[in-house]
């Protein structure tokens, strides 16, 4: 759709400096007239299929809807597997995926590549949206059944695990489960998990091994 | 082993085991997740894009920046960036919408401006610094610099300039500028005084 974004590199400088409220030094105002030749349009159309995730998010901060579309095509299925596993409702899960991407569209400028990958950023959003939906569901139930106002955040987080995760995962401790979920859904390495959870790398590894051991025992008793 | 066919990374398992983890164990873990997480039919991308194809949602990535620029909260920004309420400017090809932001410095106004393709904005200068955030389309100023969506064009006080909108589509921008622009052409100065802009 928007194939001429490649020419905006120069002006990105002005966007950056302007963002921090400093007037742009004249020396940085490189002349960058657009050259909408047939060749350049065709070339960029081809190149646009190879944007990295980070580049797509950067384009989204400039209002590029095609970039949002590409990101969706790349990750809607992944995010869908997470939302349906938490919500257990295909229609609701598909709606939630769209909400996640709309939020990413709105908040594209908050993405910070030093804090993780685009995929992890989307997954964190998806997890929050699922929690919101589950909270809403829990609150509704509680209003109709009792008025004790229980339905605290912690209980919803627990109920995700208790209600929806498969039985095998019930046989590992919550700490071990976190490791498996982070490792699987977010694709984090041991080092990244150690930073995220604030525990030593050695602990991440020992929890992984002990979780896998418990899973093995569970599967053996099953079969 | 760094993945299954869906490209899911399980590199943490490799790291946690000094030697390769038992394939059966890894397979079991994958199956556990897979059996739990059925894949769903994602809605078509066109449906998502239709939700961001018109104002104000198509400008959502700019809500935060516009809110900072105009010192308005994001809900007000969202209303401001809707399609209705534009007034036609006496200058051909330009319509605008002013916002009332009490937080802006006296003498400055916040405006959403929509330019038709190829419109030329007449030469003028400013008593204050002017800032223009482009939400859609683009223009080339008299120095030959092109500004496009996402660019913030900052013009210092007294800097005289004009610009021409790109031919391939309209341009929409949010400006914080002098309430009364100083046009270079004597005719436009008189006209501006007459219509109070």
């Amino acid at each position: 759709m928007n194939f001429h974004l490649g020419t905006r590199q120069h002006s990105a400088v002005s966007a950056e400096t302007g963002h921090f409220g400093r007037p742009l030094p004249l020396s940085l105002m490189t002349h960058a007239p657009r050259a909408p030749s047939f060749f350049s349009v065709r070339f960029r159309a081809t190149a646009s299929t190879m944007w990295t995730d980070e580049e797509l998010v950067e384009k989204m901060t400039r209002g590029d809807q095609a970039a949002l579309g590409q990101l969706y095509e790349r990750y809607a299925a992944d995010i869908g597997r997470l939302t349906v596993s938490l919500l257990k409702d295909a229609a609701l899960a598909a709606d939630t995926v769209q909400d996640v991407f709309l939020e990413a569209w709105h908040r594209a400028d908050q993405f910070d590549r030093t804090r993780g990958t685009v995929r992890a950023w989307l997954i964190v959003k998806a997890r929050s949206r699922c929690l919101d939906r589950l909270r809403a569901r829990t609150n509704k139930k509680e209003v109709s059944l009792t008025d004790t106002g229980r339905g605290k955040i912690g209980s919803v987080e627990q109920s995700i695990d208790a209600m929806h995760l498969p039985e095998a995962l019930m046989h590992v401790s919550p700490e071990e489960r976190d490791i498996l979920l982070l490792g699987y859904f977010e694709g984090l390495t041991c080092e990244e998990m150690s930073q995220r959870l604030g525990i030593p790398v050695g602990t991440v590894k020992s929890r992984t091994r002990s979780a896998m051991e418990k899973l093995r025992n569970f599967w053996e008793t099953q079969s | 082993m760094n993945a299954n066919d869906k490209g899911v990374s399980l590199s943490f398992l490799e790291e946690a085991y000094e030697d390769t983890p038992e394939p059966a164990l890894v397979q079991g873990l994958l199956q556990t997740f897979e059996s739990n997480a059925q894949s769903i039919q994602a809605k078509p991308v066109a449906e998502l894009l239709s939700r961001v194809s018109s104002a104000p949602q198509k400008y959502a990535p700019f809500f935060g920046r516009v809110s900072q620029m105009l010192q308005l909260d994001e809900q007000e920004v969202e209303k401001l960036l809707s399609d209705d309420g534009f007034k036609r400017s006496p200058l051909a090809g330009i319509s605008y919408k002013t916002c009332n932001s009490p937080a802006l410095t006296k003498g400055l106004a916040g405006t959403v401006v929509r330019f038709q393709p190829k419109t030329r904005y007449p030469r003028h200068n400013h008593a204050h610094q002017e800032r223009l955030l482009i939400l859609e389309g683009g223009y080339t100023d008299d120095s030959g610099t092109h500004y496009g969506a996402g660019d913030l064009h900052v013009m210092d006080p007294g800097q005289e300039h004009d610009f021409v909108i790109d031919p391939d589509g309209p341009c929409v921008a949010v400006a914080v500028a002098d309430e009364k622009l100083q046009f270079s052409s004597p005719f436009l100065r008189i006209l501006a005084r007459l219509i109070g802009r």
Side-chain angles (χ1 to χ4, degrees):
Chain A
M1 243 184 259
N2 207 348
F3 297 129
H4 49 248
L5 272 156
T7 57
R8 308 254 165 97
Q9 296 297 336
H10 325 264
S11 24
V13 174
S14 68
E16 269 313 299
T17 42
H19 196 62
F20 297 105
R22 286 192 297 271
L24 187 69
L26 279 172
S27 58
L28 281 179
M29 296 177 80
T30 43
H31 290 233
R34 203 136 60 117
S37 74
F38 176 72
F39 172 75
S40 65
V41 168
R42 233 177 46 160
F43 172 71
R44 286 182 191 117
T46 318
S48 72
T49 54
M50 300 184 297
W51 299 115
T52 65
D53 295 349
E54 286 78 13
E55 283 167 339
L56 289 178
V57 173
E58 203 276 330
K59 286 169 181 303
M60 283 159 58
T61 66
R62 296 170 160 266
D64 186 336
Q65 296 166 25
L68 173 68
Q70 279 194 43
L71 199 68
Y72 184 79
E73 288 183 327
R74 221 171 264 183
Y75 290 119
D78 261 9
I79 303 295
R81 283 189 304 137
L82 172 62
T83 57
V84 79
S85 79
L86 295 178
L87 297 171
K88 287 288 177 197
D89 176 329
L92 196 59
D95 284 347
T96 308
V97 174
Q98 292 239 331
D99 291 348
V100 167
F101 281 87
L102 285 179
E103 192 190 323
W105 173 245
H106 186 172
R107 302 281 173 211
D109 59 347
Q110 289 176 5
F111 171 71
D112 178 355
R113 66 173 75 204
T114 63
R115 291 178 57 195
T117 61
V118 172
R119 186 171 182 276
W121 180 62
L122 292 171
I123 282 172
V124 169
K125 287 190 185 310
R127 192 170 179 279
S128 313
R129 292 291 75 74
C130 288
L131 286 176
D132 291 345
R133 301 244 182 193
L134 287 169
R135 263 181 215 124
R137 201 190 277 171
T138 315
N139 288 343
K140 239 186 246 167
K141 266 187 209 153
E142 288 202 347
V143 167
S144 61
L145 294 175
T146 100
D147 56 355
T148 56
R150 277 178 294 166
K152 300 207 169 64
I153 292 167
S155 72
V156 173
E157 300 223 12
Q158 282 156 12
S159 73
I160 289 180
D161 293 356
M163 290 187 301
H164 301 301
L165 286 180
E167 217 188 330
L169 286 178
M170 291 296 97
H171 288 72
V172 304
S173 71
E175 292 79 21
E176 291 161 352
R177 203 150 52 222
D178 273 351
I179 302 269
L180 295 181
L181 291 173
L182 283 173
Y184 178 79
F185 282 119
E186 300 197 24
L188 298 188
T189 63
C190 291
E191 177 69 36
E192 288 164 341
M193 284 194 257
S194 132
Q195 283 167 7
R196 180 79 67 89
L197 300 169
I199 53 174
V201 179
T203 311
V204 173
K205 291 182 180 177
S206 61
R207 279 185 194 168
T208 305
R209 286 194 298 265
S210 116
M212 293 303 273
E213 197 56 37
K214 287 179 188 168
L215 289 179
R216 189 230 306 265
N217 290 339
F218 172 74
W219 289 322
E220 276 170 5
T221 57
Q222 291 290 297
S223 59
Chain B
M1 188 273 305
N2 192 17
N4 63 1
D5 54 355
K6 291 190 172 110
V8 173
S9 163
L10 288 175
S11 58
F12 74 110
L13 286 180
E14 255 174 5
E15 286 178 63
Y17 286 81
E18 278 161 20
D19 41 26
T20 313
E22 292 167 63
L25 209 50
V26 173
Q27 206 47 45
L29 181 65
L30 284 176
Q31 272 170 14
T32 305
F33 279 115
E34 296 300 325
S35 65
N36 179 54
Q38 308 291 319
S39 44
I40 51 163
Q41 190 64 46
K43 295 185 170 186
V45 64
E47 187 176 326
L48 176 71
L49 293 181
S50 73
R51 290 171 74 181
V52 299
S53 63
S54 52
Q57 281 313 313
K58 78 168 158 185
Y59 303 127
F62 302 108
F63 287 173
R65 290 174 76 184
V66 174
S67 148
Q68 267 189 337
M69 236 176 119
L70 301 179
Q71 316 257 307
L72 292 173
D73 68 41
E74 286 202 14
Q75 280 167 334
E76 288 173 272
V77 168
E78 190 172 341
K79 254 186 261 168
L80 182 71
L81 295 181
S82 69
D83 259 342
D84 51 337
F86 276 88
K87 288 184 213 158
R88 283 181 60 172
S89 155
L91 297 170
I94 298 171
S95 52
Y96 67 96
K97 199 193 300 197
T98 35
C99 82
N100 299 314
S101 173
L104 288 179
T105 312
K106 206 169 163 18
L108 287 179
T111 320
V112 188
V113 197
R114 187 191 284 156
F115 305 92
Q116 291 308 309
K118 297 186 194 170
T119 302
R120 181 190 173 82
Y121 198 84
R123 204 160 178 80
H124 61 279
N125 71 37
H126 318 265
H128 297 87
Q129 186 190 65
E130 176 180 347
R131 287 178 300 148
L132 206 59
L133 174 66
I134 301 161
L135 310 187
E136 184 180 359
Y139 61 78
T140 303
D141 77 0
D142 51 342
S143 75
T145 308
H146 181 261
Y147 295 88
D151 289 338
L152 181 71
H153 187 176
V154 180
M155 286 148 282
D156 285 336
Q159 194 183 324
E160 213 178 45
H161 72 136
D162 56 47
F163 52 84
V164 181
I165 305 301
D166 292 350
D168 54 358
C171 175
V172 177
V174 171
V176 173
D178 293 354
E179 276 174 314
K180 293 186 195 308
L181 290 182
Q182 189 72 23
F183 288 108
S184 305
S185 137
F187 168 73
L188 284 178
R189 279 192 210 179
I190 294 165
L191 183 67
R193 202 171 302 157
L194 286 175
I195 61 169
R197 285 272 306 165

